[in-house]
Amino acid sequence: MHFTSEQRLDDGVLERGFTLGEIPGILWTPASASASAPVPLILLGHPPLGLHKMYSRLVARARQAAADGFAAATIELPGSGERPRWAAAEEARADLRRAMEAGGPVGEEIVDRLVLPLVDQAVPEWQTALDALLPLPEIGGPVGYSGGVISIGTRLAAVEPRVSAAVLFAGSLVPRVMFEEARQVTVPLHVLLQWDDEGNDRQAALDLFDAFGSKEKTLHANMGGHTGVPQFAGDAAARFFTRHLK
């Protein structure tokens, strides 16, 4: 890990940019974090729109995490931001747009081409990020995952034992294979679903929630579109992490 920038935000949160090879990322730590008082870590998932476009939302979530006593970190997803584009993913997005504009169902083959390569590469990269972040003296674990793409969060929660709890955002297409992987997830889950999310298959989100193998899982569904998550839903997610990571 190589730190590339550092600034102290107005609430005392320390924001540091870093790189892991070709992968850019950002780490936020509360002012209270130190080698003598290490804090748990929340990984901030996000859609593949690029860290620059997602920054305002990510830093708001990181500030909330810091206020609750957590460090937060995120990394650039494959094929987004300044990372090299994937021709296959661009073709799949074009096919998805055509299918949605035509008003017909989105075929499983398109969903698989769009999502599965992203999951296959992103999950090992998140694990590499954990390898670099957890040895930092101000971070002590445990680790939570918060956000989307929900298929990335599902696989990471299934295969990464260092993730102790997850808040998953239902708002992306779900390949069929992910339903079987969801049965392998056993950590506590808090799933956020926007009922009127125009880009989300609501029934698939409900079926995925049903498939999760966790003994403790909560579905928090609210009316509204993709970006309309109410504040009280975010507050409930914060309380979930307080219960399970502290």
Side-chain angles (χ1 to χ4, degrees):
M1 170 182 279
H2 174 63
F3 286 108
T4 58
S5 65
E6 178 177 317
Q7 66 170 330
R8 185 75 66 174
L9 305 183
D10 55 14
D11 53 2
V13 174
L14 179 62
E15 177 184 286
R16 286 174 284 177
F18 64 84
T19 56
L20 292 168
E22 67 171 14
I23 307 168
I26 308 173
L27 171 64
W28 296 271
T29 48
S32 61
S34 66
S36 60
V39 295
L41 173 66
I42 297 176
L43 304 176
L44 301 182
H46 55 89
L49 301 176
L51 290 183
H52 179 72
K53 289 184 178 179
M54 293 299 300
Y55 175 80
S56 61
R57 298 184 201 176
L58 288 166
V59 73
R61 292 164 60 194
R63 285 176 185 266
Q64 180 61 59
D68 294 332
F70 302 110
T74 193
I75 56 175
E76 189 75 86
L77 289 178
S80 66
E82 297 180 359
R83 299 187 65 181
R85 293 291 183 267
W86 290 353
E90 296 298 327
E91 292 174 4
R93 288 191 188 95
D95 291 342
L96 173 64
R97 285 193 296 270
R98 283 191 288 269
M100 296 182 71
E101 289 169 358
V106 177
E108 292 182 15
E109 183 265 344
I110 295 176
V111 176
D112 288 352
R113 285 194 290 121
L114 183 63
V115 179
L116 289 180
L118 178 63
V119 174
D120 289 343
Q121 184 166 336
V123 169
E125 291 181 352
W126 274 117
Q127 293 176 300
T128 297
L130 278 178
D131 292 341
L133 291 163
L134 288 177
L136 295 175
E138 65 271 32
I139 296 176
V143 177
Y145 177 88
S146 173
V149 176
I150 196 169
S151 293
I152 293 176
T154 297
R155 180 174 293 176
L156 188 64
V159 304
E160 178 47 71
R162 292 172 291 184
V163 172
S164 300
V167 172
L168 301 179
F169 297 0
S172 52
L173 298 170
V174 182
R176 185 163 297 277
V177 68
M178 297 310 303
F179 293 90
E180 185 56 39
E181 295 193 26
R183 303 183 200 285
Q184 310 306 314
V185 176
T186 58
V187 300
L189 293 178
H190 185 98
V191 180
L192 296 174
L193 171 63
Q194 287 300 102
W195 202 250
D196 306 304
D197 186 345
E198 61 282 355
N200 185 41
D201 183 333
R202 182 194 303 164
Q203 190 58 53
L206 295 173
D207 291 343
L208 184 67
F209 178 80
D210 188 50
F212 284 123
S214 302
K215 291 182 178 179
E216 180 188 336
K217 56 181 180 180
T218 300
L219 178 67
H220 200 145
N222 294 281
M223 305 302 290
H226 185 77
T227 59
V229 179
Q231 182 61 47
F232 62 79
D235 293 343
R239 290 193 297 272
F240 169 84
F241 277 133
T242 298
R243 288 197 307 275
H244 291 289
L245 300 184
K246 283 192 170 182

